[in-house]
Amino acid sequence: MHRGTAHLSHLSLWLLFTQALAELPMCKESDYHFEYTECDVLGSRWRVAVPNKAETCTGLPDPVKGTQCTFSCSEGEYLDMSTQECQKCAAGTYSLGTGVAFDEWDSLPTGFVTQGMNSNGGDAHTDCSNSTWRPTGDFVASNTDECMATLSYAVSLKKPGIVSFEYFYPDNSIYFEFFVQNDQCQSTEAGSRWMKISESSWTHHMVELNKGSNVLYWRTTSYALVGSAVKPVLLKNIAISGVAYTSECFHCKPGTYGAKPGSARCTPCPADTYSNKGATVCHQCEQEKYSEAGSGICKPRPACTNSDFFYTHTPCDSEGKTQLMYKWIDPKICSEAAEGAVKLPASGEKQTCPPCNPGFFVTNSSTCEACSDGFYSNGTACEKCPVGTEPVVGFEYKWWNTMPSNMKSSTYRREFSNTDHNTAWEVAGEYVYTTPGDQDTDYLMLTLNVPGYRLPQSVAEDNERSEKSRITFVFETRCSVDCKLYFLAGYNHWNNDVVEQWRGSNRKQSYTYLIQSNSTVSFTWTFQRTEEFSTDRKYSADVAKIYSIVITNAIGGVASRCHRCALSSATTTSACVPCPPGHYMLNGTGVCKSCPPNTFIRAEQAVGEASCVQCGPNTQTNTAYTACVSDCTLDLQLREGAPLRYDFSPLANVTGVHSSPRFTNKGLQYFQRFNVALCGKEGRVPATCVENVTASGREVRGYVCQSTVVPSDIRDQSVVSSQPFLIGDTLVGVTAETSLSNISSPNWLFPSSSGLPDVIFYYKSSETTQACKQGRSATIRLRCNPTVTVMDHITLPSNCSEGTCDGCTFHFLWQSQHACPLCTKNNYREIVSACVQGIQRTTYVWQQPLHCYRGESLPAQKVSACVSLDFWLKFGVSTGTVAAVLLITLICYFWKKTRKLQYKYSKLMMSSGGKECELPTADSCAIMEGEDAEDDLIDLTKTSFFTKIKSFSRERTSDGFDSVPLKSSSSRQHIEEDDSDEA
């Protein structure tokens, strides 16, 4: 039952569909178009009809076998899908045959995608949505901010093809790359992505494409972080071949025309003509209207004003006269017939020709020609340099009757125009000045090119002397608004760098730039009246004037004077030679004299004793006597204490430090990178800062340099470096003082609690700028810190995060153990141990806190024999005992002697008969016979010592004296008689 119901429902739907088709009209040729199916493995395909709008008609043609997939038409042809044959494009149209072209940029063509993004992953809230490629009519222009702008186009090729385009890339502060990504996500190698700076107005570029899917990328990022104007990259005439066929021809865009059928491209209309889209001819503008070349419309001619003409001078005639001429700015767009228009002033006023420039002479036809080699002139006649002198070669322009042959004037317009402007700068006798431009935003450029540089024969080559030449010019600007004058130097007038810029009105002044590379051969002065775009010329009266330009040591130059030089000692030649190293030349004599000790010769002056410059403290002159250097050692005598000796050799290698990161208003992160080469003698490696945004690779070398670094992944590099400049290329001196040669390094920049003084290296740069008229300088403080083992612990002042507080003097603090003085005997002390088992040890330790490193090492521990305390104690006791016995013996001896004397005295008293103060007269000085025996007898019959003491104590009289019984002679006689009776 259910199966029958299903069959009935299907039948009903089929009947309804058949009825609907029957109600649709039959398809006409305008209701459908033909397309090819995808190619199969055999390279075949089918042609099928596809309705332009679904379910609008019926009866489409049946599919038929199509052409082979490799089939293609020639340029100027298209594939007619109805007949599947190639047909020529009609007049007013064009075709690339096997490709597509994009030359109209009123809006972004179908298939192109542009987007802006943060270039280094900065703040996620940074808005780069408006930093994209902008179509501007004839071309598409890149962004000029620090966001990364990408323009992409995807195309599928049936066979290998080619992409070609024209680009204008004038500014090396923008990174511009082009690369292709295939269907396997493989991109062009990083090295070949790098687009070169444009040598002329437009550069043609072509890249081969592989079969299959290809995505084309054009990407730009600006790295100009100093607020200077950036010129965008311009792109036009993109053509891609290899799509196998094109089924239609493209109409010529307005301003171009195609006169013949089968054209591969359209021709631009000339000036004062116009054309509409698909035109076969260009139409002439009406009399009071004008148009630029390639324009699709004509504009009304404005009334002529004083800003529409300029004045110049004709070449001098045979009478030495020049005519003042007034000319309309070419192309002339103003109308003299309009109401209020001014007339061109009358020309032909004759004036006396200015002199020729120095180094030139006046010919019979009143023209100026250069003097021959070995000659000089002040602008009138050439004279040969005297013997013993050499010409001072260069270019000196101070009279402007005609534009010098090595100078060129041109105009660059941000909204680029094909019109060739040759009247950006014009000569005016005493100066060259800027003429009124088509627009106030135009860049009016004056370019000077030189072939190279060669030092005079009297100047010796030396690695320390980086100056090749110097250029000096005198200028003036008069502006009613914020105009700008840029001075640029580089390889050519498109591949150069901004050296200096001036804003607004500037009084007449001089500026000098030192040339340190042989590749710096192009100099450009660019004047812009305002950055605010307007079709009206409001500031045409704003003007820049250059009065004189002098460049020295230029190859192919001329001489304005000759100077004395030293002559070769060889008798066969009188050629000039340099004075020996360390010698200067006496004024006007050609005699060389030795400079005082430890001095060097000024690079710009080698005449007179004033050319000898004394080296700074703790520096020595190099072998060529052209600069002062340091061998990285230093002996420093303090007011108190022993002298300190330093050795900074471990810090001599080039070391880098960067400031804290900063961000632009678009979120681009950047920081300042400093490279430092502290010291070293001849052959040392200098610090180098480079610019790697473009292929020019400009670099500067010296003791201290700086560049602006942006983290990036372009060209597989971690950073992009730009805007390098020198901070110090000359070592001034090394000292512990906080100021030297007008360079100061205050202690408050880097407070220290150590009692050890910092050693300060002072540097300066010979380059001067508008802000730093005395040149830049740098100080590097070396502070002893034994705990710092790394070699690159360099910090910037905390209150001057960019390393400088005034923009001219840069300060660095370098802490390291290698910044400590060398250790001496005064830095350690000895510790003697106790005598243990006859061994005594002496150990040496550093005094704390330690403020030295390397130098003299700690002596090894000493071990010596010793005697212990027990021995000395025993020895002392024994010695004391012996001394006590000895003392007692002596006491006894002298006591005995005293008793004998007492006895003798008693006998004498007894012999005196009791008369006081009267002693018996001695019969003889000799001892009486038997006296000693008697004494001995007395001693033998005496009682003991202690008994006598007792008796003495009992016999002491009341007056305190001892009573000593004395024997008289009568008593002795009685005793003798008694003895005889007993016998």
Side-chain angles (χ1 to χ4, degrees):
M1 183 68 179
H2 291 290
R3 182 176 300 177
T5 305
H7 280 297
L8 289 175
S9 61
H10 285 301
L11 180 60
S12 301
L13 290 173
W14 182 82
L15 291 174
L16 291 173
F17 179 73
T18 304
Q19 184 179 0
L21 288 178
E23 294 177 356
L24 293 176
M26 295 298 293
C27 290
K28 303 176 182 177
E29 291 186 3
S30 58
D31 295 329
Y32 61 90
H33 64 277
F34 292 107
E35 290 183 4
Y36 282 123
T37 61
E38 293 292 333
C39 296
D40 57 23
V41 293
L42 300 177
S44 300
R45 55 187 174 184
W46 291 81
R47 188 199 70 177
V48 297
V50 179
N52 296 329
K53 192 172 182 180
E55 301 181 1
T56 57
C57 64
T58 185
L60 292 173
D62 295 331
V64 297
K65 191 172 183 61
T67 59
Q68 290 295 315
C69 292
T70 56
F71 176 82
S72 62
C73 294
S74 303
E75 289 185 344
E77 297 180 341
Y78 73 100
L79 180 63
D80 185 354
M81 294 295 288
S82 60
T83 62
Q84 298 195 69
E85 294 180 353
C86 293
Q87 303 289 337
K88 285 187 176 182
C89 291
T93 63
Y94 71 97
S95 169
L96 297 178
T98 60
V100 292
F102 305 95
D103 55 6
E104 292 186 47
W105 298 94
D106 295 319
S107 60
L108 210 59
T110 303
F112 279 88
V113 178
T114 180
Q115 60 179 347
M117 65 182 68
N118 195 288
S119 59
N120 59 6
D123 187 357
H125 300 289
T126 300
D127 185 12
C128 288
S129 58
N130 294 325
S131 300
T132 59
W133 289 75
R134 298 172 293 103
T136 57
D138 293 333
F139 52 83
V140 58
S142 74
N143 66 324
T144 56
D145 56 23
E146 57 272 21
C147 290
M148 181 183 294
T150 303
L151 179 69
S152 61
Y153 181 76
V155 61
S156 179
L157 301 185
K158 305 302 181 182
K159 61 180 181 180
I162 293 174
V163 57
S164 63
F165 56 90
E166 294 180 58
Y167 69 90
F168 181 54
Y169 180 19
D171 199 325
N172 60 8
S173 61
I174 288 184
Y175 169 70
F176 176 38
E177 63 177 342
F178 169 73
F179 60 96
V180 181
Q181 191 176 75
N182 59 21
D183 51 6
Q184 297 178 354
C185 293
Q186 296 174 339
S187 300
T188 307
E189 294 183 1
S192 60
R193 296 183 179 189
W194 201 350
M195 305 302 292
K196 295 182 179 180
I197 291 288
S198 299
E199 297 287 343
S200 58
S201 58
W202 290 95
T203 302
H204 187 266
H205 188 70
M206 184 172 59
V207 175
E208 294 183 355
L209 301 177
N210 296 324
K211 178 182 177 181
S213 298
N214 292 269
V215 183
L216 316 179
Y217 292 95
W218 294 266
R219 189 163 68 182
T220 58
T221 305
S222 172
Y223 294 102
L225 306 174
V226 294
S228 59
V230 178
K231 305 178 184 69
V233 177
L234 309 181
L235 197 64
K236 70 175 184 178
N237 294 337
I238 300 176
I240 305 170
S241 65
V243 295
Y245 74 95
T246 178
S247 59
E248 61 178 339
C249 295
F250 302 96
H251 291 283
C252 292
K253 67 178 183 178
T256 63
Y257 69 99
K260 299 179 180 179
S263 298
R265 57 191 56 82
C266 299
T267 306
C269 292
D272 293 331
T273 63
Y274 74 98
S275 69
N276 298 319
K277 187 175 183 179
T280 57
V281 294
C282 294
H283 305 284
Q284 190 72 30
C285 290
E286 299 177 7
Q287 184 176 0
E288 293 303 318
K289 291 186 177 182
Y290 77 99
S291 70
E292 296 178 346
S295 177
I297 59 173
C298 294
K299 303 176 183 177
R301 293 182 182 272
C304 291
T305 65
N306 291 330
S307 300
D308 292 309
F309 65 87
F310 63 95
Y311 61 92
T312 185
H313 292 79
T314 62
C316 295
D317 57 20
S318 58
E319 299 177 355
K321 298 291 184 180
T322 180
Q323 296 185 36
L324 180 63
M325 304 296 293
Y326 292 93
K327 297 181 179 180
W328 294 111
I329 293 176
D330 187 30
K332 180 186 177 185
I333 63 173
C334 66
S335 173
E336 299 177 65
E339 183 179 356
V342 299
K343 301 295 183 180
L344 189 68
S347 300
E349 178 186 352
K350 286 194 173 184
Q351 299 176 348
T352 301
C353 278
C356 292
N357 282 310
F360 292 81
F361 70 96
V362 182
T363 64
N364 294 332
S365 59
S366 296
T367 59
C368 296
E369 292 186 7
C371 294
S372 303
D373 293 341
F375 288 78
Y376 73 99
S377 83
N378 60 358
T380 55
C382 297
E383 297 182 15
K384 187 173 180 61
C385 288
V387 176
T389 64
E390 66 176 341
V392 180
V393 178
F395 292 106
E396 183 176 353
Y397 302 116
K398 63 179 183 180
W399 301 108
W400 303 92
N401 187 51
T402 58
M403 188 69 74
S405 59
N406 59 347
M407 298 185 72
K408 181 183 178 182
S409 170
S410 60
T411 300
Y412 167 76
R413 182 175 301 168
R414 178 168 296 185
E415 302 299 328
F416 191 83
S417 172
N418 287 329
T419 305
D420 188 16
H421 299 270
N422 296 316
T423 57
W425 293 73
E426 273 294 339
V427 295
E430 295 182 350
Y431 54 83
V432 58
Y433 73 103
T434 53
T435 62
D438 289 347
Q439 297 177 2
D440 289 338
T441 54
D442 288 349
Y443 291 91
L444 308 178
M445 298 187 297
L446 177 67
T447 303
L448 166 66
N449 294 303
V450 295
Y453 310 100
R454 181 170 49 235
L455 294 176
Q457 294 179 353
S458 60
V459 178
E461 292 278 356
D462 180 65
N463 293 331
E464 293 288 341
R465 178 172 290 159
S466 59
E467 179 182 338
K468 305 295 183 184
S469 173
R470 59 177 57 197
I471 182 171
T472 302
F473 59 92
V474 178
F475 71 98
E476 177 186 21
T477 59
R478 296 178 182 176
C479 303
S480 57
V481 290
D482 191 21
C483 65
K484 292 181 182 178
L485 176 65
Y486 301 92
F487 174 62
L488 304 95
Y491 179 71
N492 56 40
H493 72 293
W494 294 120
N495 188 0
N496 50 28
D497 297 285
V498 176
V499 174
E500 190 57 90
Q501 58 178 301
W502 297 266
R503 294 175 180 267
S505 297
N506 291 271
R507 59 177 177 79
K508 190 176 181 180
Q509 58 186 278
S510 174
Y511 178 80
T512 299
Y513 173 68
L514 300 184
I515 303 166
Q516 300 180 336
S517 173
N518 279 321
S519 61
T520 307
V521 294
S522 180
F523 307 93
T524 301
W525 293 264
T526 301
F527 182 69
Q528 185 186 34
R529 292 183 169 89
T530 181
E531 292 183 353
E532 297 180 2
F533 178 78
S534 176
T535 56
D536 298 330
R537 291 181 297 184
K538 302 177 181 179
Y539 311 111
S540 297
D542 294 355
V543 64
K545 297 180 180 180
I546 296 179
Y547 292 90
S548 65
I549 301 175
V550 179
I551 184 168
T552 62
N553 302 336
I555 296 176
V558 294
S560 60
R561 60 186 178 89
C562 299
H563 66 181
R564 180 71 63 176
C565 63
L567 299 179
S568 174
S569 59
T571 58
T572 58
T573 179
S574 61
C576 289
V577 296
C579 281
H583 289 67
Y584 67 93
M585 189 172 60
L586 293 175
N587 290 327
T589 63
V591 177
C592 296
K593 187 176 180 180
S594 176
C595 283
N598 204 31
T599 58
F600 69 96
I601 305 294
R602 292 182 187 272
E604 69 276 7
Q605 175 190 2
V607 178
E609 190 173 359
S611 62
C612 301
V613 182
Q614 186 68 37
C615 285
N618 300 301
T619 62
Q620 310 84 35
T621 182
N622 61 350
T623 55
Y625 291 86
T626 56
C628 295
V629 296
S630 169
D631 61 357
C632 302
T633 61
L634 172 67
D635 291 320
L636 186 63
Q637 178 63 56
L638 301 180
R639 295 180 180 178
E640 298 179 358
L644 302 178
R645 181 168 181 81
Y646 294 85
D647 184 4
F648 304 120
S649 300
L651 305 178
N653 295 330
V654 177
T655 308
V657 61
H658 59 77
S659 65
S660 56
R662 291 179 172 269
F663 296 88
T664 65
N665 57 358
K666 288 291 187 179
L668 178 68
Q669 179 185 354
Y670 71 96
F671 49 85
Q672 306 299 335
R673 173 77 178 183
F674 301 94
N675 287 334
V676 174
L678 183 68
C679 54
K681 304 195 78 170
E682 290 86 349
R684 69 181 184 276
V685 178
T688 304
C689 296
V690 301
E691 179 269 317
N692 63 1
V693 177
T694 62
S696 63
R698 186 174 68 91
E699 64 180 29
V700 294
R701 295 171 176 264
Y703 282 101
V704 186
C705 61
Q706 175 189 329
S707 60
T708 301
V709 174
V710 180
S712 180
D713 59 352
I714 63 173
R715 298 194 308 276
D716 297 330
Q717 299 188 62
S718 59
V719 295
V720 172
S721 177
S722 65
Q723 303 168 4
F725 62 85
L726 272 175
I727 298 176
D729 57 4
T730 302
L731 177 61
V732 179
V734 185
T735 179
E737 301 296 329
T738 56
S739 63
L740 180 66
S741 298
N742 297 323
I743 306 173
S744 178
S745 177
N747 289 326
W748 56 264
L749 287 174
F750 303 104
S752 173
S753 59
S754 172
L756 199 65
D758 295 335
V759 177
I760 307 176
F761 281 71
Y762 291 87
Y763 309 91
K764 69 176 182 179
S765 172
S766 51
E767 290 184 355
T768 60
T769 64
Q770 184 182 6
C772 306
K773 298 188 182 299
Q774 302 300 321
R776 300 183 181 94
S777 58
T779 66
I780 300 179
R781 280 178 172 259
L782 295 178
R783 179 169 296 171
C784 173
N785 192 339
T787 63
V788 178
T789 59
V790 295
M791 297 290 189
D792 58 350
H793 188 65
I794 304 177
T795 56
L796 304 177
S798 59
N799 53 345
C800 304
S801 58
E802 296 291 334
T804 176
C805 300
D806 59 3
C808 297
T809 303
F810 294 77
H811 305 278
F812 307 90
L813 174 64
W814 196 340
Q815 299 185 67
S816 173
Q817 59 186 3
H818 299 287
C820 297
L822 299 177
C823 295
T824 63
K825 294 181 179 179
N826 298 326
N827 297 110
Y828 62 82
R829 60 188 178 90
E830 63 179 22
I831 299 176
V832 181
S833 67
C835 185
V836 179
Q837 297 180 355
I839 298 176
Q840 190 173 52
R841 304 177 187 274
T842 303
T843 306
Y844 298 89
V845 296
W846 295 113
Q847 295 185 7
Q848 299 298 327
L850 182 63
H851 291 298
C852 68
Y853 185 70
R854 296 187 301 149
E856 190 166 334
S857 303
L858 281 176
Q861 188 184 60
K862 293 182 179 179
V863 179
S864 58
C866 63
V867 180
S868 65
L869 182 61
D870 295 340
F871 171 81
W872 288 112
L873 183 60
K874 293 177 181 180
F875 177 78
V877 171
S878 301
T879 304
T881 303
V882 172
V885 171
L886 222 357
L887 181 60
I888 294 171
T889 303
L890 289 174
I891 291 173
C892 293
Y893 171 75
F894 285 109
W895 181 83
K896 181 178 179 182
K897 296 295 287 182
T898 302
R899 295 302 297 166
K900 285 182 179 182
L901 290 175
Q902 280 183 335
Y903 174 72
K904 290 181 178 180
Y905 177 74
S906 299
K907 286 181 65 176
L908 288 175
M909 291 298 294
M910 291 173 61
S911 300
S912 64
K915 296 180 179 180
E916 294 182 0
C917 303
E918 195 175 311
L919 291 174
T921 304
D923 297 333
S924 173
C925 291
I927 299 176
M928 298 300 291
E929 186 178 352
E931 193 171 20
D932 289 339
E934 183 180 5
D935 293 339
D936 295 338
L937 179 61
I938 292 173
D939 292 336
L940 291 173
T941 58
K942 285 181 182 177
T943 58
S944 66
F945 176 74
F946 294 104
T947 305
K948 288 184 177 183
I949 290 177
K950 292 180 180 180
S951 65
F952 285 160
S953 62
R954 288 196 301 267
E955 294 176 359
R956 185 175 299 271
T957 62
S958 60
D959 58 3
F961 292 95
D962 294 338
S963 58
V964 179
L966 298 175
K967 294 180 179 181
S968 65
S969 58
S970 58
S971 62
R972 182 185 296 177
Q973 184 178 358
H974 288 306
I975 293 172
E976 290 177 352
E977 290 178 353
D978 292 337
D979 291 339
S980 62
D981 290 339
E982 290 177 1

